[in-house]
Amino acid sequence: MALALQDIRIVDLSRIWAGPYGTKLLADMGAEVVKIEALDRLDPHRGAVRPQAGTGNYPDGEPGNDPWNRNGWFNSLHQNKYGITLNLSHAQGKEVFRELIAMSDVVIENFRRGVLDRLGFTYEELKKIRPDIVVVSMPAFGNKGIWKDYIQYGIGQEQLAGVDSMGGYSVAEGPIKSGINHGDPITGSHAAGAILASLMYRRRTGKSVFIDLSQLDSSISLMGEHLLDFQMSGKNPTTTGNQHHSFAPQGVFPCSGEDEWVAISVTSDSEWQKFAEAIGHPDIGLNTRFADSFSRKQNEPELFPLITEWTENKNKFEITNTLQIAGIPAAPVMTNEDIYDDPHYQSRSLMEISDHPSTDIQLLPGVGWKMSKTTSEIRWHAPRLGEHNEFIFRDLVGLSEDYIASLINEGVSGTQPVGA
Amino acid sequence: MSENDSTIQNSPEPNLLSGISVIELGDEISAAYCTKMMAYLGADVLKIERPLVGDSARSVGPFPDSAPNIEKSALFLYLNTGKKSITLNLESSSGQKIFKSLIEQADLVVENLPPGKLESLNLDYIHLSSINPDIVMTSVSDFGQTGPYKNYKATPLQHYAFGGLMYITGLPDREPLQMKPRLPEYGVAQNAFVASLSALWYRDSTGIGQHVDISTAEYSASILENGLSMYSYTGNKLGRSGNKGYGRAAWGIYTCKDGFVGVIAGPEHKWSAMAELMDEPRLADEKYTERSGRQIYAEEIETLMEPWLMSHNKQEIFEQAQKLGLAFAYVATPEDILNWEHLDNRGYFTEISHPNAGSYKYAGAAFQAEGIEPYWQRAPILGEHNDEVLLPIIENLKMDIQDLKLEKTI
């Protein structure tokens, strides 16, 4: 099957999660992504070069001889990419980098602001090498503004974007962070979109594009209605826990088993009638104190014990099925294990087989959508450190064997990290 | 329509997506945020809404003075900037004919109707591509167009539950918790943007259009950090750790004098700055330096941090830590964000006036292309562009506009 983006080449200097997530989306659809790491500065998601026992995410907890090639976090974000090592502080490294830029469409980086400039690769310089280059620069706070030199991770972007200010079990108990560093995938996906929109512009106009992607701007862009809400009401939005602000009952209820839960929402009067019947209390469905959305919301806490009584000895999947058949929104609260084993996700091929020489076969998440005429399956495993040095240096850039040997001898490139 | 904004002009060249023609059949967030981005990048986005009621986002709010009004819903106003709106009943045969005429000129359709709905109207990808062979169609849904749960219903609570984000949010001894912002729906809309542009790129390269099937569930499940790979590698389950990310001290949210701050210590080589910042030499103890130490001694560390945190305000904690190279944050409210000088420096906000809803500062573009201004225009009134867009088509199809209005087709 064809690949949607096979005629795009991206030089990827991004690290950790945000940038690599963005380039993963594009690599899965066929873009040729060349990820550059330095032997003394691996992508932190490869983990420590000499990890302590019991830390990290290695097959069966064993770091093995090459832990940097065996980290699940790294390996699930870099399938379908090429991996090379190159020291950009070194003159030879810069020379190879320039040759690579000259034959590429896009450069993406999420260093601290100014790092790439100090290495000698400003946007102006990159344009001299490749006049129609697309550059995506994604520092935490962008390339301009009084906070431009501040640093941040996805965990803090979620807080600064206002997400956490309206979270938590109740207002009195204060905010609760999300279970992930939410700023990263938000920014990564926006970066992937920025690359494609810029390439479409370039195809039309022949012009280069510089994208200033502030991770903070990107995260706040998902909070638009809440910023308007404050201006309309003069009040900051506050948490309603697992309840909905208008319809009821809604909540997360315990099920049979340890730490098992089901999420139920009754969004209309007709759903309420069916729900009352489903939980074996058709009488409450007729009770005027719960007859409409407003009165149900007023008296919602009274319903929780009745619902819990019905859910607590039942399986979360069976409850979901019963309620969905009755037309009521319900879902099991899924663990990572549940998702891995779930027939629906399996039927959608969420997890795909990835055979990796340092980890053997693992199931890893694919791109997360389906295209009818192009493929996005895992074509090859995440690169071991410097795995594609030869292919990129010799076959793509056209460097001589001698030159490649000198890169290795000078420590500009290689496959063993510093400190191994 | 008010007199001072009767013409909505197409986005002026040059913009990143100028010349792309998009039709949106969107309800609430998961299609509309995708096409909102396209609109501010210069694409022509035509939103097709149900006659009389329109997009449900018009009824969701929040509203000024908490008074429901389909032209004043914050969710709708934000998500539909820069788009045109027409009303069309796709259940009627004349509505379908008009829709097919619109399809002839379009590059992309983005829809999030329940799976199977367009098929039942003979307006699914197979039918639309017989009218316009290289069209790209992106279908966004809760669970996907296929699979055993494809017809399940979901609200934001179920999105958080089924995608796996809820189980890992909250306290270990309490029930799992949703987040108030509807991030799974925004997130899938972001990825729908990426998938749609990829399909358009392929079409421009080969002349071949296609159908994209993308779901909120799979988006959420694919952003659980390393949750899925961890299960494959180790069989370990992810759990909840409240405000202490990964169970570690100094990677989460803490109470301070006037609110909540993000104490985010980062890598080992930066740990020594913590003691300096908080004027607490005992924090410099080597056993806290490594991340594993911050997990084992989490409570000790938190006891040492507390006096300083409780005697400083969130803004000063954030600024002082950043000046020492520590990536601290704080739990900002919308009010805080609207007042940040940094965002004004960046030109992030745009004041947009709407004849019914009033004038507000709107959150800006997710990214800025140097030298190219985003296209900002208020959200449309329901059916605002019916005459402009539909009259030529109705004339061409030799239909009677009065009949169409009477039978509520438009």
Side-chain angles (χ1 to χ4, degrees):
Chain A
M1 214 178 184
L3 293 160
L5 304 179
Q6 61 191 350
D7 44 0
I8 296 171
R9 182 174 299 134
I10 299 170
V11 174
D12 184 2
L13 295 165
S14 73
R15 303 147 46 88
I16 311 186
W17 191 13
Y21 176 70
T23 54
K24 173 195 191 302
L25 299 178
L26 304 178
D28 287 346
M29 288 182 292
E32 197 177 294
V33 174
V34 182
K35 183 183 178 75
I36 302 182
E37 296 172 89
L39 292 174
D40 59 352
R41 273 179 82 86
L42 311 188
D43 186 320
H45 270 168
R46 286 192 184 272
V49 172
R50 291 166 173 270
Q52 287 180 315
T55 63
N57 181 23
Y58 306 106
D60 303 319
E62 287 295 326
N65 295 327
D66 56 345
W68 54 89
N69 294 329
R70 286 168 55 79
N71 199 311
W73 215 166
F74 181 89
N75 288 347
S76 64
L77 280 172
H78 294 86
Q79 310 99 321
N80 298 332
K81 299 180 191 176
Y82 295 101
I84 65 169
T85 52
L86 200 59
N87 183 346
L88 297 183
S89 309
H90 192 282
Q92 270 186 307
K94 289 186 203 294
E95 197 175 312
V96 177
F97 184 67
R98 295 175 73 90
E99 298 214 26
L100 198 52
I101 296 297
M103 59 201 311
S104 297
D105 303 292
V106 179
V107 183
I108 178 170
E109 58 93 2
N110 64 350
F111 294 126
R112 292 181 66 155
R113 191 194 71 85
V115 166
L116 199 56
D117 290 0
R118 286 195 290 279
L119 287 167
F121 298 104
T122 60
Y123 176 49
E124 292 309 314
E125 189 59 29
L126 292 167
K127 271 197 295 191
K128 281 184 201 155
I129 305 167
R130 169 87 192 203
D132 62 352
I133 194 81
V134 168
V135 178
V136 177
S137 171
M138 45 193 297
F141 295 89
N143 285 281
K144 59 183 186 210
I146 52 170
W147 293 347
K148 64 181 189 289
D149 291 319
Y150 286 9
I151 55 172
Q152 198 44 264
Y153 310 105
I155 179 180
Q157 297 295 2
E158 175 186 300
Q159 296 170 27
L160 291 167
V163 170
D164 292 333
S165 72
M166 53 195 83
Y169 290 99
S170 65
V171 175
E173 291 169 285
I176 293 270
K177 69 185 281 301
S178 81
I180 63 166
N181 299 319
H182 230 127
D184 286 299
I186 292 170
T187 304
S189 178
H190 277 139
I195 287 174
L196 292 168
S198 301
L199 286 170
M200 289 174 76
Y201 172 83
R202 190 189 76 167
R203 187 177 243 174
R204 213 173 63 244
T205 65
K207 290 180 182 164
S208 67
V209 182
F210 180 83
I211 297 286
D212 179 14
L213 202 172
S214 151
Q215 302 195 29
L216 181 64
D217 291 6
S218 155
S219 301
I220 297 173
S221 294
L222 308 197
M223 299 296 288
E225 71 269 29
H226 302 290
L227 298 194
L228 291 178
D229 186 10
F230 174 77
Q231 296 171 76
M232 288 175 172
S233 69
K235 288 184 212 136
N236 285 307
T238 52
T239 186
T240 49
N242 281 328
Q243 276 64 62
H244 190 265
H245 64 272
S246 65
F247 55 69
Q250 170 173 291
V252 173
F253 301 95
C255 303
S256 61
E258 178 74 25
D259 202 21
E260 301 281 347
W261 308 84
V262 66
I264 300 171
S265 301
V266 176
T267 68
S268 68
D269 295 346
S270 66
E271 284 176 17
W272 168 244
Q273 298 297 330
K274 291 177 199 149
F275 182 71
E277 277 172 40
I279 67 169
H281 286 285
D283 50 309
I284 320 174
L286 304 171
N287 189 324
T288 52
R289 299 184 57 252
F290 305 110
D292 57 75
S293 207
F294 181 78
S295 23
R296 276 198 302 283
K297 188 69 211 164
Q298 293 290 303
N299 302 312
E300 187 178 25
E302 288 175 45
L303 296 170
F304 293 150
L306 285 173
I307 301 171
T308 302
E309 199 178 296
W310 181 71
T311 60
E312 65 187 350
N313 294 311
K314 293 184 179 65
N315 175 285
K316 63 186 176 185
F317 294 98
E318 286 168 17
I319 293 170
T320 299
N321 195 41
T322 302
L323 294 179
Q324 288 282 358
I325 286 170
I328 298 155
V333 178
M334 302 286 274
T335 65
N336 57 337
E337 180 182 27
D338 292 331
I339 290 169
Y340 191 91
D341 292 335
D342 184 74
H344 180 77
Y345 283 118
Q346 283 176 358
S347 84
R348 304 270 307 163
S349 306
L350 173 71
M351 306 295 288
E352 293 181 45
I353 291 171
S354 177
D355 193 0
H356 187 293
S358 295
T359 71
D360 294 331
I361 289 173
Q362 302 285 348
L363 279 178
L364 298 175
V367 77
W369 63 74
K370 310 285 169 259
M371 296 170 78
S372 61
K373 293 179 190 163
T374 54
T375 180
S376 48
E377 66 194 9
I378 298 178
R379 286 164 288 134
W380 65 81
H381 61 82
R384 289 173 290 164
L385 187 66
E387 180 164 348
H388 299 103
N389 284 345
E390 279 229 343
F391 172 70
I392 296 295
F393 295 152
R394 191 186 57 205
D395 299 342
L396 186 71
V397 181
L399 301 177
S400 70
E401 298 291 348
D402 287 351
Y403 194 96
I404 295 170
S406 77
L407 288 177
I408 308 290
N409 290 338
E410 295 291 318
V412 178
S413 183
T415 56
Q416 290 295 306
V418 170
Chain B
M1 220 184 288
S2 80
E3 58 286 335
N4 64 355
D5 60 8
S6 55
T7 50
I8 289 190
Q9 299 190 338
N10 290 341
S11 172
E13 286 262 9
N15 205 329
L16 298 186
L17 297 181
S18 297
I20 306 285
S21 169
V22 183
I23 292 178
E24 181 211 302
L25 288 169
D27 214 44
E28 303 204 2
I29 298 170
S30 64
Y33 182 69
C34 166
T35 52
K36 173 192 165 81
M37 293 175 74
M38 292 173 179
Y40 69 64
L41 296 174
D44 294 320
V45 180
L46 179 65
K47 186 178 180 87
I48 299 183
E49 302 190 70
R50 288 169 292 169
L52 307 177
V53 289
D55 180 343
S56 327
R58 291 182 179 274
S59 310
V60 167
F63 303 99
D65 308 318
S66 301
N69 178 318
I70 61 168
E71 302 303 346
K72 299 185 184 182
S73 163
L75 187 66
F76 184 86
L77 292 172
Y78 178 63
L79 288 171
N80 295 287
T81 50
K83 302 179 189 175
K84 293 179 179 178
S85 162
I86 62 165
T87 53
L88 198 58
N89 178 7
L90 296 178
E91 307 272 350
S92 77
S93 66
S94 38
Q96 290 169 11
K97 278 186 195 136
I98 294 169
F99 181 68
K100 286 177 178 171
S101 290
L102 291 166
I103 290 298
E104 287 171 17
Q105 304 302 321
D107 297 295
L108 170 69
V109 178
V110 182
E111 63 96 6
N112 67 352
L113 296 170
K117 181 67 193 174
L118 286 176
E119 193 183 351
S120 74
L121 301 171
N122 291 330
L123 297 174
D124 56 342
Y125 173 70
I126 293 177
H127 287 87
L128 299 189
S129 61
S130 72
I131 301 165
N132 181 347
D134 66 357
I135 197 151
V136 171
M137 178 166 176
T138 298
S139 295
V140 190
S141 59
D142 296 331
F143 298 94
Q145 303 295 315
T146 62
Y149 308 157
K150 68 179 179 187
N151 293 321
Y152 276 13
K153 286 162 76 176
T155 77
L157 189 78
Q158 284 73 38
H159 292 308
Y160 275 105
F162 192 73
L165 288 163
M166 178 183 279
Y167 185 81
I168 57 177
T169 303
L171 295 165
D173 57 351
R174 298 274 294 274
E175 73 272 22
L177 191 60
Q178 70 167 344
M179 313 281 294
K180 189 181 188 102
R182 293 163 66 173
L183 300 179
E185 293 159 271
Y186 271 101
V188 75
Q190 288 189 252
N191 277 6
F193 179 88
V194 176
S196 300
L197 293 195
S198 298
L200 285 172
W201 178 267
Y202 182 71
R203 183 205 64 168
D204 290 345
S205 302
T206 63
I208 299 170
Q210 60 177 321
H211 184 214
V212 176
D213 165 9
I214 181 167
S215 75
T216 311
E218 284 159 287
Y219 166 74
S220 306
S222 68
I223 59 154
L224 299 175
E225 300 202 340
N226 58 340
L228 295 181
S229 64
M230 176 198 283
Y231 188 75
S232 179
Y233 274 49
T234 65
N236 290 341
K237 265 171 73 171
L238 292 174
R240 295 186 289 287
S241 54
N243 280 326
K244 228 180 278 183
Y246 317 118
R248 296 202 301 258
W251 187 263
I253 296 175
Y254 291 87
T255 308
C256 69
K257 191 175 171 187
D258 66 340
F260 301 91
V261 284
V263 177
I264 301 163
E268 275 107 41
H269 68 269
K270 296 220 176 124
W271 180 258
S272 60
M274 291 284 290
E276 187 186 340
L277 173 71
M278 299 190 181
D279 197 19
E280 176 46 88
R282 284 175 292 177
L283 275 174
D285 195 321
E286 266 185 22
K287 68 183 179 181
Y288 305 144
T289 305
E290 295 213 3
R291 289 185 171 93
S292 54
R294 293 178 217 163
Q295 189 167 2
I296 298 164
Y297 305 108
E299 284 181 18
E300 281 180 36
I301 294 171
E302 289 176 348
T303 306
L304 291 172
M305 296 193 308
E306 192 183 336
W308 187 80
L309 291 175
M310 291 308 290
S311 59
H312 290 80
N313 292 326
K314 59 189 183 183
Q315 181 81 31
E316 60 182 344
I317 292 172
F318 169 62
E319 302 263 2
Q320 285 184 30
Q322 286 284 354
K323 296 208 159 87
L324 289 174
L326 291 165
F328 278 32
Y330 68 89
V331 177
T333 62
E335 183 179 15
D336 294 329
I337 293 165
L338 286 161
N339 288 304
W340 280 339
E341 186 187 343
H342 174 71
L343 294 177
D344 284 340
N345 295 159
R346 293 184 58 72
Y348 180 68
F349 295 111
T350 306
E351 186 85 22
I352 298 177
S353 169
H354 185 285
N356 304 62
S359 186
Y360 302 104
K361 263 169 101 172
Y362 281 62
F367 50 83
Q368 301 183 0
E370 192 178 272
I372 298 176
E373 287 298 312
Y375 171 68
W376 294 121
Q377 179 61 256
R378 66 165 172 80
I381 290 161
L382 181 61
E384 181 170 349
H385 303 90
N386 279 356
D387 287 355
E388 174 192 330
V389 176
L390 293 179
L391 282 181
I393 293 174
I394 290 168
E395 201 167 292
N396 197 32
L397 292 172
K398 300 191 168 39
M399 291 176 174
D400 185 314
I401 188 154
Q402 292 311 325
D403 290 350
L404 293 172
K405 281 184 178 163
L406 277 175
E407 67 195 18
K408 296 192 174 65
T409 296
I410 62 176

